């Protein structure tokens, strides 16, 4: 026994020593560097049946567009947003007020261009051209100038002074002038009596015009003066403010979005609903039941085994069948198929109009396919 | 301490480091199981030698016994030695026979019974010798895995406690402790499997030797009974 025990001990020691040397450290596994690929499982419905919501929001059970601050309801609004008018463009964040370089009012000109004046004071301009009494005015218009200049240069200097007193006199008598014409008052008055006499003698043509428009000259003059004052005032103060006008015109922000309100937090969805509604099981059962009640299977028809009759019908929003339902069938023998097709159509027609269909899911039941399986009933 | 062990274990998973990292209980279990393994193999070697020798002796003795040699002569040569197996049975029976005739036995039935008893006793002693230590093989074979499992459970428990302390579930932290614990089961299995196999083999061998001895005892008893009849017949006739 002693020898065997010694042998055993020696053998164990040898084996253990060999094990320590040879299998001391098992080679560690080589781990290949694998990049993790994120995988999302996206249901097809999220692409094919988009509900109105927010594109960047997380998915929730019920899609809803971004919560709006205003909650007053705008009728028939389709696009979510804060606007009062349902616009189609998406709501964009309000831009910070930036210093926009708008064209400032035109610099003060002693001689304003004709264009702005014609726009603002059309009538006055025309009236003035008819008379064409002043060199200042005609100078602005190049074409009329050469025509009129030959006669006018000499008599003009006295003229402006000559007619003015008349209107002054007439003004006082005939028309109470607006207070906006104080200029003539400042002009020298002592002279008129002298020139009044001289003027008629020198200038008959000039007078003619004056006499032809016996009463008008005063108006024209007033208009002239008015225009002058208007011009001077516009050139001096430039009360034209483009921004004010723009703000008055732009009562709606163009990028303000629609007017549909939302009370819920935003959730994943698209801009619009794209036919996403589906009938629930109970609604489907209700539809089935209505047809089932009206389906009387003809007793004693052979060959109905394995037959499937498919009726495709279109419904209008009230639930009534539009047109004639389409019937196709397969399986069974032909005579039985014909009989059962007839019974299926009759069942469908008799149950029209269908009731208790949800109006808001009309897109889901506008076209209904009914499968009849007569094998269970025969 | 166990924290430090775990941290160090992340790098070394060799057998010796696994053993050194283990806790005291697990170490004791491992050492005990190694001892059991050594003992198992010692028994295996011893029994293998013994049985081989016994078988050879049985063959030799049977050859001599059935060679037609005189039983008296055979007894004379064998009685001086220390005998085992069949030879021991033969010697014990012959000794009883001789004693009975020297003192002038009266009843042949009594003589026959005494010889049978003597042979039975010798046979039992020989059987005991053959089956000695097979029990410890059986114990190691059945209990070894359980002892190893105990070491594993304790090792995993302490390992998990250490993991809870280190607050990391990284596999590099968890794995060495568990490997170390599993080593105990491995050693238990290493000790138990040869023990079970050896136990089965040596019980079968011992059974074979025992049946062979029984067969020899029966045969020899029959021979002696015939001899008794032959020897006692003339005496009775003379009376």
């Amino acid at each position: 026994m002693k020898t065997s025990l010694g042998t055993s001990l020696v053998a164990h020691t040898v084996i253990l020593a060999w094990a320590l040397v040879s299998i001391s450290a098992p080679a560690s596994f080589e781990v290949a560097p694998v990049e993790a690929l994120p995988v999302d499982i996206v249901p097809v419905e999220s692409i094919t049946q988009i509900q109105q919501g927010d594109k960047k929001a997380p998915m929730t059970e019920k899609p809803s567009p971004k919560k709006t601050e205003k909650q007053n309801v705008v009728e028939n609004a389709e696009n979510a947003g804060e606007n009062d008018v349902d616009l189609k463009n998406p709501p964009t964040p309000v831009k910070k007020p930036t210093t926009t370089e708008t064209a400032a009012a035109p610099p003060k000109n002693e001689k304003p261009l004709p264009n702005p004046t014609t726009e603002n004071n059309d009538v006055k301009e025309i009236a003035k051209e008819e008379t064409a009494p002043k060199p200042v005015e005609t100078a602005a218009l190049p074409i009329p100038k050469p025509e009129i200049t030959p006669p006018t240069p000499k008599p003009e200097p006295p003229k402006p002074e000559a007619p003015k007193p008349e209107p002054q006199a007439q003004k006082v008598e005939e028309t109470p002038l607006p207070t906006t014409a104080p200029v003539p008052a400042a002009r020298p008055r002592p002279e008129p009596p002298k020139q009044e006499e001289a003027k008629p003698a020198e200038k008959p043509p000039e007078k003619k015009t004056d006499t032809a428009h016996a009463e008008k000259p005063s108006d024209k003059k007033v208009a002239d003066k008015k225009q002058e004052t208007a011009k001077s005032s516009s050139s001096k103060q430039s009360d034209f403010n483009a921004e004010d006008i723009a703000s008055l015109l732009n009562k709606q922000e163009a990028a303000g979005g629609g007017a549909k309100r939302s009370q819920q937090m935003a959730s994943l969805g698209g801009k619009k609903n794209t036919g996403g509604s589906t009938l629930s099981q109970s609604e489907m059962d209700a539809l089935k039941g209505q047809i089932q009640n009206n389906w009387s299977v003809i007793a004693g028809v052979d060959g109905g085994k394995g037959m499937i009759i498919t009726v495709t019908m279109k419904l209008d929003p009230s639930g009534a069948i539009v047109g004639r339902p389409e019937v196709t069938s397969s399986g069974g023998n032909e005579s039985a198929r014909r009989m059962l097709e007839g019974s299926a159509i009759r069942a469908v027609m008799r149950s029209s109009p269908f009731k208790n269909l949800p109006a808001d899911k009309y897109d889901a039941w506008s076209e209904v396919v009914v499968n009849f399986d007569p094998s269970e009933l025969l | 301490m166990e924290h430090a062990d775990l941290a160090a274990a992340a790098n070394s998973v060799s057998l010796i480091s696994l053993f050194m990292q283990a806790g005291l209980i697990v170490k004791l279990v491992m050492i005990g199981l190694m001892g059991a393994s050594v003992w198992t193999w010692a028994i295996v070697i011893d029994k293998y030698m013994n049985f081989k020798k016994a078988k050879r002796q049985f063959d030799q003795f049977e050859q001599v016994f059935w060679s037609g040699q005189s039983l008296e002569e055979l007894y004379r040569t064998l009685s001086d030695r220390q005998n085992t197996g069949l030879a021991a049975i033969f010697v014990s029976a012959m000794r009883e026979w001789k004693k009975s005739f020297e003192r002038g036995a009266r009843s042949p039935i009594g003589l026959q019974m005494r010889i049978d008893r003597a042979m039975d006793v010798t046979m039992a002693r020989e059987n005991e010798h053959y089956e000695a230590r097979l029990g410890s093989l059986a114990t190691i074979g059945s209990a070894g895995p359980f002892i190893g499992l105990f070491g594993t459970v304790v090792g995993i428990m302490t390992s998990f406690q250490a993991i809870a302390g280190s607050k990391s579930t990284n596999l590099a932290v968890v794995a060495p402790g568990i490997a170390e614990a599993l080593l105990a089961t491995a050693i238990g299995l290493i000790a138990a499997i040869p023990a079970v196999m050896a136990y089965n083999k040596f019980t079968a061998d011992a059974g074979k030797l025992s049946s062979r001895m029984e067969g020899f005892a029966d045969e020899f008893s029959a021979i002696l009974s015939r001899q008794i009849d032959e020897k006692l017949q003339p005496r009775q006739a003379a009376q």
Side-chain angles (χ1 to χ4, degrees):
Chain A
M1 191 65 206
K2 267 181 188 172
T3 50
S4 58
L5 190 61
T7 321
S8 168
L9 258 173
V10 168
H12 272 83
T13 319
V14 168
I15 289 172
L16 208 63
W18 173 79
L20 285 180
V21 171
S22 68
I23 50 171
S24 55
S28 48
F29 296 118
E30 277 184 27
V31 182
V34 180
E35 231 174 82
L37 289 176
V39 176
D40 273 352
I41 296 175
V42 182
V44 173
E45 288 81 14
S46 69
I47 296 160
T48 57
Q49 302 185 348
I50 296 169
Q51 302 285 305
Q52 193 170 41
D54 195 76
K55 276 177 190 168
K56 287 172 185 171
M59 198 151 92
T60 58
E61 215 161 276
K62 198 182 171 192
S64 159
K66 210 173 178 180
K67 195 175 180 181
T68 53
E69 281 170 24
K70 290 185 188 173
Q71 292 298 347
N72 56 326
V73 177
V74 175
E75 291 221 351
N76 296 327
E78 283 180 347
N79 304 293
E82 303 271 5
N83 246 347
D84 290 327
V85 178
D86 197 29
L87 297 181
K88 284 207 172 174
N89 46 3
T92 50
V94 180
K95 282 176 189 166
K96 283 177 186 172
T98 51
T99 51
T100 48
E101 293 173 5
T102 49
K108 293 172 183 177
N109 280 337
E110 283 306 313
K111 294 174 182 176
L113 289 169
N115 285 350
T117 54
T118 47
E119 275 175 15
N120 290 334
N121 307 324
D122 250 350
V123 185
K124 292 169 188 172
E125 194 67 61
I126 294 162
K128 194 184 65 192
E129 273 178 76
E130 282 172 356
T131 54
K134 280 195 173 180
V136 188
E137 287 300 315
T138 48
L141 298 166
I143 307 161
K145 208 181 175 184
E147 293 170 0
I148 310 168
T149 37
T152 44
K154 283 163 193 172
E156 265 195 10
K159 195 217 150 192
E161 289 159 5
K164 269 168 194 167
E166 282 178 19
Q168 275 289 326
Q170 286 174 348
K171 271 174 208 164
V172 180
E173 296 162 6
E174 293 172 6
T175 53
L177 275 172
T179 51
T180 51
V183 188
R187 298 225 172 153
R189 274 171 199 172
E191 289 172 22
K194 292 173 193 171
Q195 292 197 355
E196 255 190 313
E197 290 163 5
K199 237 188 158 182
E202 283 174 14
K203 279 191 172 181
E206 286 275 322
K207 272 249 171 175
K208 271 176 192 171
T209 56
D210 279 359
T211 47
H213 308 280
E215 291 169 15
K216 280 179 184 173
S218 65
D219 287 339
K220 283 163 196 167
K221 290 292 168 189
V222 171
D224 271 356
K225 280 166 200 163
K226 268 191 179 174
Q227 193 188 6
E228 271 181 356
T229 54
K231 275 174 188 167
S232 65
S233 69
S234 76
S235 61
K236 278 171 192 163
Q237 288 181 358
S238 83
D239 54 0
F240 172 76
N241 192 340
E243 283 174 351
D244 280 355
I245 294 168
S247 69
L248 285 172
L249 289 172
N250 267 351
K251 290 222 165 167
Q252 286 300 328
E253 280 184 66
K260 191 178 182 182
R261 307 294 184 229
S262 165
Q263 279 105 0
Q264 286 171 321
M265 291 304 292
S267 74
L268 186 68
K271 206 173 152 191
K272 275 187 174 182
N273 291 342
T274 55
S277 53
T278 46
L279 288 184
S280 70
Q281 199 61 43
S282 60
E283 288 161 348
M284 217 114 81
D285 284 341
L287 185 67
K288 260 187 234 169
Q290 291 178 47
I291 300 171
Q292 194 106 43
N293 287 341
N294 289 316
W295 191 28
S296 50
V297 178
I298 304 132
V301 175
D302 279 347
K305 234 171 211 180
M307 189 192 293
I308 297 279
I309 303 157
T310 305
V311 178
T312 308
M313 55 187 178
K314 282 180 182 147
L315 304 178
D316 66 5
S318 69
I321 293 178
V322 179
R324 183 153 179 88
E326 210 174 286
V327 193
T328 52
S329 58
S330 61
N333 67 46
E334 205 172 318
S335 60
R337 216 188 292 163
R338 210 171 301 142
M339 287 175 78
L340 288 167
E341 272 178 20
S343 82
I345 283 223
R346 254 173 279 134
V348 169
M349 295 301 278
R350 216 178 295 161
S351 39
S352 165
F354 292 94
K355 283 168 186 103
N356 299 329
L357 288 169
D360 56 334
K361 291 182 181 175
Y362 175 61
D363 57 341
W365 53 266
S366 62
E367 189 167 331
V368 180
V369 178
V370 192
N371 286 321
F372 291 83
D373 187 0
S375 61
E376 287 170 19
L377 296 173
L378 283 175
Chain B
M1 182 187 156
E2 273 155 350
H3 301 253
D5 280 350
L6 272 176
N11 296 329
S12 53
V13 275
S14 63
L15 283 182
I16 189 81
S17 61
L18 281 182
F19 175 76
M20 294 313 286
Q21 286 154 23
L24 182 67
I25 296 173
V26 182
K27 264 182 193 163
L28 284 177
V29 165
M30 284 183 190
I31 290 167
L33 284 170
M34 284 307 288
S37 180
V38 170
W39 183 238
T40 302
W41 282 99
I43 292 169
V44 166
I45 294 165
D46 184 52
K47 284 285 155 197
Y48 182 74
M49 309 281 238
N50 270 0
F51 281 1
K52 211 174 176 183
K53 198 170 133 200
K55 219 174 169 188
R56 202 174 56 236
Q57 283 173 346
F58 275 35
D59 289 343
Q60 277 177 353
F61 180 79
E62 278 188 334
Q63 212 181 347
V64 173
F65 185 81
W66 296 111
S67 64
Q69 197 184 357
S70 159
L71 293 181
E72 295 285 343
E73 265 181 50
L74 188 63
Y75 172 67
R76 233 172 283 138
T77 51
L78 287 175
S79 59
D80 301 337
R81 300 185 205 166
Q82 197 176 0
N83 293 299
T84 55
L86 296 183
I89 293 168
F90 170 76
V91 167
S92 67
M94 284 301 286
R95 192 179 292 130
E96 187 57 44
W97 165 273
K98 288 253 178 198
K99 277 180 193 168
S100 300
F101 268 93
E102 279 164 9
R103 289 170 194 174
R106 303 273 174 227
S107 159
I109 301 158
L111 178 62
Q112 181 75 49
M113 273 178 66
R114 276 197 301 279
I115 289 170
D116 280 353
R117 289 269 166 79
M119 282 202 293
D120 277 350
V121 167
T122 315
M123 211 162 63
R125 201 184 300 132
E126 289 300 309
N127 264 338
E128 197 189 331
H129 176 244
Y130 290 136
E131 283 172 5
R133 301 204 186 89
L134 283 185
S136 59
L137 274 189
T139 307
I140 292 169
S142 58
F146 289 118
I147 296 166
L149 195 63
F150 167 71
T152 297
V153 169
V154 171
I156 286 183
M157 269 166 58
T158 53
S159 161
F160 273 125
Q161 281 166 353
I163 288 163
S166 74
K167 290 195 173 70
S168 164
T169 52
N170 190 352
L171 199 60
V173 175
V174 177
I178 291 170
E180 155 225 305
L182 287 174
L183 188 63
T185 303
I187 295 173
L189 290 174
I190 285 171
I193 291 168
V196 169
M197 288 166 74
Y199 174 75
N200 287 339
K201 174 164 171 39
F202 292 140
T203 350
D205 283 358
K208 264 185 217 160
L209 290 179
S210 164
S211 66
R212 217 166 150 184
M213 285 189 296
E214 264 175 43
F216 172 76
D218 285 348
E219 259 177 317
F220 190 51
S221 169
I223 291 167
L224 285 181
S225 141
R226 205 184 310 129
Q227 288 282 329
I228 289 163
D229 280 356
E230 281 171 11
K231 290 219 173 172
L232 290 181
Q233 208 100 47
R235 268 190 214 172
Q236 286 172 349
Q239 282 172 357

